[in-house]
Every structure is written in C-alpha cells, then in structure tokens.
C-alpha cells in the first residue's frame, strides 16, 4: 500500500486535557472532566488525514515505556506506525480548559534527551519514503536534537522530489529558512512565529504581506500565516487572500492548527487552487474545534463548513 503522506513528530506528547469550571491560580481547582490523547503535531495531522480517508504514515520518536495510547490510535485509524522507539517515556503535556473563559492553559514538558543513535535510525527509516510524496515536518525538537535536524533531513531527502510542509518555529524554522537546502513546498507559521523569524513586529497587514513575499521569493510555493480567531492569510507567488472562519461553539482548541495542516495536505493532494485550499484547510481547523482529541467530524460536516468560510483577496 502506497502512503502518499508521511508525518514526522520528533517530540510527541500524551495530551492530558483537564476541564475546570473556573481556573484559579494558587488555589485548589476541581476538575470536571479529564481525558488523555496521543498527541504531538505530526500525529494530530496524521489522525485528521486518516479521518479524511487518506492513507498516511506517521514517523518520529516515541518512548517505549508509555506508547500504548499511540499504538492504539494508529491501529484504530489504520495509520502506518513507522516510529523509532527510544528507552524511556514520551512526555506528557497538560492542558487546562477554563470553561468560564473558554481559554486553555498549557503546561508542556520538554521531553527526554535524545541521543544521536535514535536520530540516525530515524533518518534511515525515512530514506525509504516514496518519491514525490508529501512529507510533513511538525512541532518542536526534543532536547539533544540538533537545531538543524529538519534541515539536514530535507537535504538528505532532496533527490526524492518531495513536497515538504513545515510547521515548526524558533531555531528549527530559522535553520530551514536560512539554509541552502531546497525550499519547502509550504510553511504555516502563526503571526508570532513569523515575527520571531523576521525579528520585527508585523502590526499591519502590509507588514505581513511583505514578510510572506520575502519567503515566496525564496521559492516557497505557499506561506500560510494563522491569525487565531481572525482566520489565516494564504500567500503564493501570484496571490494573497484572507480566509475567515464561521463562528461555532468550540469543544477544544487543542490541535486546531494541526487540523489545518491536515487540510493543507488534503488540498495539495487534490491540486486545489489557493482559494479552495484556504476554504478546506480552514474547515478542517473549525471542524476540529467541535471535538476533543485529534479527530475530524464527517466529510459532510467539513464540506458544509468550507462553504461557510469567507475569503477576500488582499493587496499591498
């Protein structure tokens, strides 16, 4: 079976979500509900793609000691498990949902220090990826992982003519964007991540446009800048548009950005134009808001949401 998409998650996590009626710092808080999900950005992407009906391979690094949730997810959704297991535990991230305000407080662990042995094993596994497929590089790097690991991986796989989608930040993103490696096909920073990369505030839409144009001029085909509740800006070397989501009741905002990446992948596989891609990817993100865990609602619901996404072209 050919897997047209491979996601890479170097620093996955068990996402433990706790709901409280009202979060009060430095006081006792009663938890109304709790659930744990196999998480990590690339795993969330793979899970949403599987819900959409796409055969997907999930790869990266997982701890041997607490991998049951991940193994169960992969089996349930028919995701190919190509993870390298390391000795120890995968980190746990705690997300506290304040039902009164609707906000989420994140407590993220750093993860275990990873030795070069496991990184070399992962590189060897990924060398078998199918030519011309899509590779999604998502999330943070674990302790012990070189800041240029994603860049090195892209250089090693360059002969395979992959469409590489990047959703990371900080030094890992800077390494990719300043290296001599072939440019990724697509990147999806949020506004803060883009500001961090360019080293300046982007207060006006024109500022964001110019920053995105700098990236498309380097050969990145599409740059998507997420703006939270204000939607996202989609840039190619030919056009720019603003996609605004419909208003819905949110069950959990955890993983909405990863669902958007899954929507971008689905759109790329179908060769959708920028406007169609913006509508579908935004619908993936909004649909995820209605559910807990890395899950999508039905295709019918996603398609209905896509029709409710408003888009407008923007000019500098």
């Amino acid at each position: 079976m050919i897997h047209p998409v491979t996601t890479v998650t170097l620093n996955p996590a068990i996402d433990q979500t706790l709901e409280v009626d009202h979060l009060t710092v430095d006081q006792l808080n009663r938890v109304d509900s709790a659930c744990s999900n196999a998480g990590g950005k690339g795993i969330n992407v793979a899970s949403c793609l599987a819900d959409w009906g796409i055969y997907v391979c999930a790869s990266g690094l997982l701890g041997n000691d607490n991998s049951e949730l991940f193994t169960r997810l992969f089996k349930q959704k028919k995701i190919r498990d190509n993870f390298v297991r390391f000795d120890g535990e995968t980190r746990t991230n705690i997300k506290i949902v304040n039902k009164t305000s609707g906000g989420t407080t994140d407590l993220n662990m750093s993860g275990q220090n990873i030795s070069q042995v496991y990184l070399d094993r992962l590189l060897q596994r990924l060398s078998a990826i199918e030519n011309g497929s899509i590779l999604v590089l998502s999330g943070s790097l674990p302790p012990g992982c070189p800041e240029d690991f994603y860049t090195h991986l892209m250089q090693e796989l360059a002969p395979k003519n992959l469409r590489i989608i990047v959703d990371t930040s900080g030094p890992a993103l800077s390494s990719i964007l300043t290296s001599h490696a072939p440019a990724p096909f697509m990147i999806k920073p949020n506004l803060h991540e883009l500001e961090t990369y360019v080293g300046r505030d982007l207060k006006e839409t024109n500022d964001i446009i110019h920053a995105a144009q700098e990236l498309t001029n380097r050969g990145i085909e599409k740059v998507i800048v997420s703006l939270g509740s204000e939607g996202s800006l989609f840039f190619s070397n030919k056009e720019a548009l603003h996609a605004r989501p419909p208003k819905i009741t949110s069950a959990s905002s955890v993983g909405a950005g990863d669902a958007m990446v899954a929507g971008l992948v689905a759109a790329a596989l179908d060769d959708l134009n920028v406007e169609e891609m913006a509508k579908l990817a935004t619908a993936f993100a909004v649909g995820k808001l209605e559910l807990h865990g890395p899950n999508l609602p039905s295709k019918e619901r996603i398609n209905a949401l896509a029709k409710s996404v408003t888009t407008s072209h923007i000019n500098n």
Side-chain angles (χ1 to χ4, degrees), residues 17 35 37-38 44 47-48 77 252 254-255 288 291-296:
T17 302
C35 65
N37 293 287
N44 293 341
S47 182
C48 291
K77 298 204 175 188
S252 172
V254 177
K288 163 64 200 76
L291 302 172
H292 288 287
N295 304 299
L296 284 185

Side-chain angles (χ1 to χ4, degrees), residues 17-255:
T17 302
L18 311 176
E19 286 193 339
V20 299
D21 186 59
H22 178 74
L23 179 64
T24 306
V25 179
D26 295 332
Q27 293 191 28
L28 175 66
N29 292 271
R30 300 289 182 184
V31 176
D32 294 334
S33 67
C35 65
S36 294
N37 293 287
K41 295 181 72 63
I43 291 172
N44 293 341
V45 173
S47 182
C48 291
L49 287 171
D51 287 345
W52 192 245
I54 293 172
Y55 294 115
V56 59
C57 171
S59 192
L61 302 168
L62 272 178
N64 260 324
D65 295 352
N66 60 346
S67 61
E68 295 84 1
L69 270 177
F70 299 92
T71 302
R72 191 180 311 143
L73 175 71
F74 300 149
K75 184 176 181 180
Q76 172 193 346
K77 298 204 175 188
K78 297 181 173 59
I79 297 169
R80 181 187 168 200
D81 177 2
N82 196 32
F83 274 85
V84 170
R85 262 62 171 185
F86 61 83
D87 295 330
E89 291 189 345
T90 298
R91 63 183 178 146
T92 296
N93 290 339
I94 298 173
K95 302 178 183 300
I96 306 172
V97 178
N98 186 338
K99 294 194 294 183
T100 299
S101 68
T104 300
T105 300
D106 292 331
L107 304 174
N108 288 354
M109 305 289 185
S110 298
Q112 287 214 31
N113 196 293
I114 298 298
S115 72
Q116 188 63 42
V117 171
Y118 296 114
L119 295 173
D120 290 342
R121 288 180 190 172
L122 178 60
L123 284 170
Q124 185 176 13
R125 289 199 183 182
L126 291 172
S127 67
I129 192 171
E130 290 91 350
N131 289 351
S133 59
I134 291 178
L135 178 67
V136 180
L137 305 178
S138 291
S140 62
L141 303 177
C145 183
E147 293 178 352
D148 64 350
F149 181 81
Y150 283 146
T151 305
H152 177 60
L153 174 61
M154 291 170 61
Q155 292 170 327
E156 290 290 310
L157 298 179
K160 291 184 173 286
N161 296 314
L162 306 175
R163 286 188 287 177
I164 298 177
I165 298 175
V166 173
D167 184 17
T168 188
S169 60
L173 178 61
S174 295
S175 172
I176 290 171
L177 298 180
T178 58
S179 76
H180 296 295
F185 168 62
M186 189 185 307
I187 63 170
K188 193 204 74 66
N190 61 34
L191 180 56
H192 173 70
E193 291 164 350
L194 184 59
E195 289 177 329
T196 300
Y197 167 68
V198 299
R200 61 183 187 274
D201 290 339
L202 304 173
K203 296 185 180 298
E204 304 294 335
T205 301
N206 277 351
D207 299 329
I208 303 173
I209 292 173
H210 292 149
Q213 284 177 336
E214 291 176 15
L215 297 173
T216 57
N217 289 341
R218 296 185 193 180
I220 301 174
E221 288 194 27
K222 294 181 177 64
V223 176
I224 292 84
V225 182
S226 53
L227 306 175
S229 62
E230 295 301 312
S232 300
L233 303 178
F234 288 72
F235 299 93
S236 72
N237 59 358
K238 295 180 180 179
E239 61 185 314
L241 60 83
H242 190 171
R244 294 176 175 83
K247 300 294 184 183
I248 65 159
T249 300
S250 173
S252 172
S253 62
V254 177

